[in-house]
Amino acid sequence: MIRVNPQIELDEREIQEDFVRASGPGGQNVNKVSTAVQLRFDVAHSPSLPEPVRARLITLAGRRLTRDGVLVIEAERYRSQRRNRDDALDRLIELIREACEVDKPRRPTRPTLASKKRRLESKQRLGETKKLRSLKPGRDS
C-alpha cells in the first residue's frame, strides 16, 4: 500500500507502469535501455479515492487525463529507470495530496472609502499633468 495521507492509501495494483525509451541524456545507453516511465492510474474507477478528491483530481490532471479517466504521468528526467519510477510515483502522490486540499471560497470584498478617494485624487493629478503638457509653449500643435 502507498500512503498518500492518513486517510488515503493506494493499492500498488491500481498503478500500472510501462517502460519506454527516453529522449535526452543517456549517451549510447539511451538507444538500448527503456528508462522512461509511463505511470497510469485509473482515477475514475479507483476505490481508494473519496468522491470529492476524485473530482478535484480530475480537474487538476488536465491534459494528463485520458477520456477513460486514466491519469498518465511520464517521467524521463533521470538516466536510471529506478529514479524515474520514484519520480513518477512522487508526482502522482503530490497531485493527489493537492487534490485533497479544499479551496477556501472567495468572499467578495468592496473597496474602502479611503481607497476610492486615493484613486480619484491620483486620476485628478494625472489629468492636470497631462493638461499642463498641452499648454507648454514651443510645442508644435
Side-chain angles (χ1 to χ4, degrees):
M1 295 298 265
I2 301 166
R3 187 180 262 333
V4 176
N5 65 20
Q7 294 83 27
I8 299 175
E9 285 186 347
L10 301 177
D11 191 355
E12 283 103 9
R13 291 175 293 198
E14 292 183 61
I15 296 170
Q16 177 190 354
E17 293 173 333
D18 295 322
F19 300 100
V20 293
R21 290 194 178 145
S23 62
Q28 293 174 339
N29 204 37
V30 80
N31 298 324
K32 295 186 283 184
V33 183
S34 298
T35 55
V37 178
Q38 278 188 342
L39 183 140
R40 294 174 181 278
F41 176 66
D42 194 352
V43 177
H45 302 103
S46 173
S48 306
L49 296 177
E51 200 52 48
V53 174
R54 182 188 328 272
R56 284 192 294 273
L57 184 58
I58 287 171
T59 305
L60 279 174
R63 287 179 34 215
R64 292 175 284 194
L65 202 70
T66 65
R67 286 190 196 132
D68 302 329
V70 177
L71 175 67
V72 179
I73 295 177
E74 294 181 6
E76 57 179 50
R77 197 178 300 179
Y78 302 104
R79 289 184 181 200
S80 77
Q81 195 179 77
R82 175 84 236 154
R83 287 181 73 187
N84 281 329
R85 282 183 75 195
D86 293 342
D87 181 41
L89 192 60
D90 290 344
R91 285 169 37 199
L92 172 67
I93 291 169
E94 189 56 41
L95 200 61
I96 294 172
R97 282 187 183 146
E98 196 176 328
C100 289
E101 296 172 10
V102 180
D103 291 339
K104 192 170 77 172
R106 184 188 175 280
R107 286 186 24 223
T109 58
R110 298 165 98 182
T112 62
L113 185 61
S115 69
K116 286 181 186 176
K117 284 183 179 177
R118 281 193 304 269
R119 184 179 67 84
L120 292 175
E121 287 168 3
S122 168
K123 286 176 65 135
Q124 195 76 38
R125 274 195 308 275
L126 199 60
E128 287 171 10
T129 304
K130 287 183 176 186
K131 195 181 295 181
L132 288 173
R133 283 183 199 149
S134 66
L135 297 176
K136 280 190 177 177
R139 286 201 113 182
D140 295 332
S141 307

